[in-house]
Amino acid sequence: MSTIHVPAAESSKAKITGEATQLAKPPRNAHSNGLRKILDGSGAIILFLVVWEVIPQLVLAPSARVFLPPLHEVLGALWQLVASGELWVHAQASLGRSIAGFALAILTGVPAGLVIAWYPQVKNFLNPLLEVFRNTAALALLPVFTLLLGIGETSKISIVVFAAFFPVLLNTILGAQSVDPLLIRAARTLGLTNVEIFAKVILPSALPTIFTGIRMAGTASVLVLIAAEMIGAKAGLGYLITNSQASFLIPQMYAAILTVSILGFAVNAGLVALERRFSRWNQQ
Amino acid sequence: MSSIEIQNVSKYFQRKAPGTTATVTALEEVNLSVGHGEFLTLVGPSGCGKSTLLDILAGLSEPDAGQVLVDGEAISGPGLERSVVFQQYALFPWKTAAANVEVGLESLARGRRDLGRKQRRERAVEYLRLVGLEGFEDRYPSELSGGMRQRVAIARALAHEPKVLLMDEPFAALDAQTREQLQELLLQIWKRTGTTIIFITHGIEEAIYLGQRVAVMSGRPGRIQRIISIDLEHRDTEDDVRSTTEFGRYRHEIWNLLHASADSIGAKAGQPELALAGAAA
Ligand SMILES: Nc1ncnc2c1ncn2[C@@H]1O[C@H](COP(=O)(O)OP(=O)(O)OP(=O)(O)O)[C@@H](O)[C@H]1O
Ligand SMILES: [Mg+2]
């Protein structure tokens, strides 16, 4: 850590201990209701961060502290990664791959799922195979992807597609099958053609279930990608983690890990928000 | 405003039990004609084939024998000139009230220039007003009460101006007060539009109150047992027509018919208490 970053780290430390004092004092007036809400929602996280900051400094021997640096050192490293633009390079690489793979999985998984659900024979025929694929951990296939497609972008995007495809496909089938048959009957009496029934009845009523699949796929695609990048890549957050470790830049390694969990969290929150927006009718 | 001829309609279902398949005769040689603009109600014991018959009229299923003519033409499949109102509303939950009403209009607009997005919306608003739901256009079904949902379903069934309205126990899931309001509303709409209505119900009083004629079905196999013309003299003058003696006479007559047929079904099935749910109420 260069000394330039110490003030920033110090100030963030001060901020966190300040919040810790608030945590100990239960809010008394109506004014602090907002604060209480924040504490209710993220109290455990704040507590965790405090423990992370305090334990290495107070409990660990300096030799061990090297392997588990306090939070402010990690944040300092994170800041340095941001300032140098290095973090963005790696995040961009990871985001590009996961968005490409994720999008491909949705674009193929949703239509395939709708078609499979429409033809029960196809579904019955394919179902056992789909179950086998779904229960095959994508990471177990990583060596296969590497063998067949090398360690370039293609193999990484492919494994993201693989990991994201099955949750999307299976949930689309599930959603399309659970459409209330009465709605289809109503649609037919209202003059809808088969194609229209697909687009205007089956797809919308399957949408909440499809979104569950998309959310699962989002989590899976980040997870698998990071692992793939850890094994063989020249850029990406997974690469940043292993590379930092290999270069003994321990705070930077934690900074990269922190970024991955923030990214995963953001992906999930974004998808939940999207889901809310598309299923406003389904709120109750 | 169409006439309907049901000619020798039979319908069988295969019921697969492990090992064997039994054939259930849901309808046998059903004949019934409904005049232009008539309001016909249909009562019968549970399982006698009322919904099966309505499905055939709607074009959602085909008879195994016989045919159905609407204005002299045999029907094939569903058509916009025949609308259906289901007991369970069958609204699209992801569409607002107005958007639900517009569904049939969108089909109607195919190949027509004079029914653009704006006109469809106007028509939907107009029909929602007709059923007393002004100001509820943008509510989702989950934000409406059961009675309001059924009003939306009625508006949706009427908005594309069908000639025939088919209703399968549309008010059965509603409380008594809401049901009476909707019966009143339906009569008003019928008088105003002149739509031919076939209305299935379990309620004898509802059948007499709404119908110009009541068709009484018997079960196993399903048949039209009797058709009773309802002639309530004091219908428009009397406040509570349901408590008049003539109304009571009709109720008694139909009650007897239903019980006679229920007893015979019970004897056949070996269960004398066979459900005639709601019919006696
Ligand atoms: N899809 C089906 N497969 C097999 N049997 C059926 C099917 N649909 C109806 N049935 C049988 O046909 C008969 C008539 O059923 P239907 O639903 O028309 O009765 P219903 O008069 O509408 O009864 P309810 O008053 O309870 O609604 C019943 O014996 C029923 O079990
Ligand atoms: Mg029925």
Side-chain angles (χ1 to χ4, degrees):
Chain A
M1 284 287 80
S2 81
T3 44
I4 303 167
H5 299 290
V6 173
E10 284 302 327
S11 80
S12 70
K13 178 183 171 188
K15 191 165 152 244
I16 280 164
T17 39
E19 270 166 4
T21 355
Q22 291 283 4
L23 192 69
K25 263 190 287 173
R28 289 245 160 71
N29 47 12
H31 228 53
S32 40
N33 260 355
L35 181 66
R36 167 167 241 157
K37 240 183 212 151
I38 293 171
L39 288 182
D40 279 348
S42 48
I45 293 176
I46 292 170
L47 190 68
F48 170 75
L49 294 178
V50 169
V51 168
W52 186 359
E53 174 64 22
V54 171
I55 296 288
Q57 302 198 60
L58 298 186
V59 181
L60 294 186
S63 60
R65 209 183 126 170
V66 174
F67 300 114
L68 183 55
L71 179 64
H72 75 269
E73 280 179 31
V74 173
L75 291 176
L78 184 63
W79 172 246
Q80 197 179 30
L81 282 171
V82 172
S84 67
E86 203 182 337
L87 187 75
W88 180 235
V89 171
H90 292 292
Q92 213 175 6
S94 292
L95 278 175
R97 290 166 187 150
S98 55
I99 289 172
F102 188 51
L104 267 173
I106 293 172
L107 288 178
T108 52
V110 172
L114 289 177
V115 169
I116 290 174
W118 186 256
Y119 297 105
Q121 312 91 306
V122 178
K123 194 228 141 197
N124 290 339
F125 177 70
L126 286 180
N127 202 39
L129 184 65
L130 295 179
E131 281 299 317
V132 169
F133 272 117
R134 186 177 70 126
N135 289 304
T136 304
L139 281 178
L141 290 173
L142 188 56
V144 179
F145 278 86
T146 316
L147 274 179
L148 295 178
L149 301 167
I151 57 161
E153 293 304 294
T154 322
S155 83
K156 280 184 204 61
I157 293 176
S158 303
I159 196 156
V160 172
V161 173
F162 183 88
F165 180 75
F166 288 98
V168 173
L169 179 80
L170 291 164
N171 275 276
T172 305
I173 296 175
L174 193 70
Q177 277 181 330
S178 55
V179 176
D180 184 353
L182 182 62
L183 291 183
I184 295 179
R185 283 152 52 84
R188 291 182 61 205
T189 66
L190 291 163
L192 272 70
T193 62
N194 274 348
V195 174
E196 286 174 324
I197 287 176
F198 236 106
K200 294 183 178 177
V201 181
I202 295 177
L203 184 61
S205 56
L207 214 52
T209 317
I210 295 177
F211 257 111
T212 307
I214 289 180
R215 241 176 338 110
M216 288 159 64
T219 312
S221 62
V222 170
L223 183 94
V224 163
L225 179 68
I226 299 301
E229 288 174 345
M230 290 172 91
I231 290 169
K234 294 203 175 60
L237 293 170
Y239 164 80
L240 184 61
I241 293 171
T242 39
N243 192 50
S244 304
Q245 187 215 21
S247 321
F248 217 68
L249 299 167
I250 302 304
Q252 180 175 308
M253 178 191 84
Y254 281 103
I257 294 173
L258 200 59
T259 310
V260 168
S261 68
I262 292 170
L263 180 74
F265 190 79
V267 165
N268 195 56
L271 289 173
V272 168
L274 205 64
E275 181 175 2
R276 284 237 177 85
R277 200 172 137 39
F278 276 103
S279 48
R280 207 151 64 81
W281 53 273
N282 204 20
Q283 289 308 295
Q284 285 165 344
Chain B
M1 314 128 261
S2 279
S3 65
I4 302 164
E5 290 285 336
I6 300 168
Q7 297 176 338
N8 299 319
V9 164
S10 299
K11 178 80 184 177
Y12 313 102
F13 290 109
Q14 307 294 330
R15 200 163 46 209
K16 288 191 187 72
T20 55
T21 45
T23 304
V24 178
T25 306
L27 296 171
E28 189 172 75
E29 301 271 322
V30 170
N31 286 286
L32 181 65
S33 50
V34 185
H36 288 273
E38 185 180 355
F39 198 139
L40 180 111
T41 52
L42 188 62
V43 293
S46 188
C48 73
K50 302 182 295 294
S51 298
T52 305
L53 184 61
L54 201 91
D55 266 14
I56 292 171
L57 294 175
L60 291 171
S61 73
E62 283 178 18
D64 292 310
Q67 59 175 352
V68 176
L69 307 179
V70 173
D71 288 334
E73 279 199 48
I75 59 165
S76 61
L80 281 176
E81 80 286 356
R82 283 163 284 131
S83 260
V84 186
V85 176
F86 301 92
Q87 180 184 337
Q88 297 304 331
Y89 323 126
L91 297 177
F92 302 110
W94 54 89
K95 284 180 182 285
T96 61
N100 262 288
V101 177
E102 284 176 57
V103 174
L105 293 172
E106 283 161 17
S107 304
L108 190 66
R110 258 200 309 263
R112 272 176 58 166
R113 291 265 165 79
D114 58 333
L115 202 59
R117 186 181 286 271
K118 194 160 157 276
Q119 285 97 323
R120 295 201 294 265
R121 173 78 192 193
E122 278 166 11
R123 185 96 81 97
V125 171
E126 178 193 327
Y127 273 86
L128 282 172
R129 192 181 321 128
L130 179 75
V131 297
L133 284 181
E134 201 169 2
F136 290 91
E137 293 83 5
D138 296 324
R139 294 277 196 100
Y140 287 95
S142 62
E143 300 167 335
L144 299 172
S145 70
M148 290 162 128
R149 288 180 207 183
Q150 199 54 294
R151 285 171 194 260
V152 176
I154 292 172
R156 181 177 72 178
L158 290 172
H160 50 275
E161 294 174 351
K163 295 172 180 164
V164 179
L165 189 56
L166 304 167
M167 310 180 87
D168 192 351
E169 302 188 40
F171 306 150
L174 304 175
D175 64 88
Q177 205 182 339
T178 311
R179 187 182 310 138
E180 278 190 26
Q181 285 171 359
L182 286 185
Q183 287 169 354
E184 220 50 61
L185 176 75
L186 184 63
L187 281 179
Q188 279 171 23
I189 289 173
W190 172 63
K191 282 174 190 153
R192 177 125 50 120
T193 59
T195 311
T196 308
I197 298 181
I198 296 182
F199 186 107
I200 293 175
T201 176
H202 265 130
I204 300 178
E205 296 202 359
E206 185 170 61
I208 300 166
Y209 183 71
L210 292 174
Q212 292 175 301
R213 290 191 300 156
V214 178
V216 182
M217 283 183 78
S218 58
R220 314 194 184 199
R223 281 197 173 115
I224 305 287
Q225 189 183 1
R226 181 93 56 91
I227 296 174
I228 297 163
S229 292
I230 305 294
D231 186 13
L232 293 170
E233 250 180 85
H234 307 294
R235 152 136 243 151
D236 295 323
T237 51
E238 185 69 42
D239 267 351
D240 184 10
V241 71
R242 291 175 179 87
S243 63
T244 59
T245 48
E246 44 186 345
F247 198 96
R249 258 202 318 277
Y250 285 125
R251 179 171 48 209
H252 189 65
E253 184 180 358
I254 295 170
W255 191 89
N256 278 337
L257 285 169
L258 288 172
H259 271 246
S261 86
D263 285 348
S264 73
I265 293 174
K268 258 186 229 166
Q271 42 176 172
E273 300 273 10
L274 192 83
L276 230 180

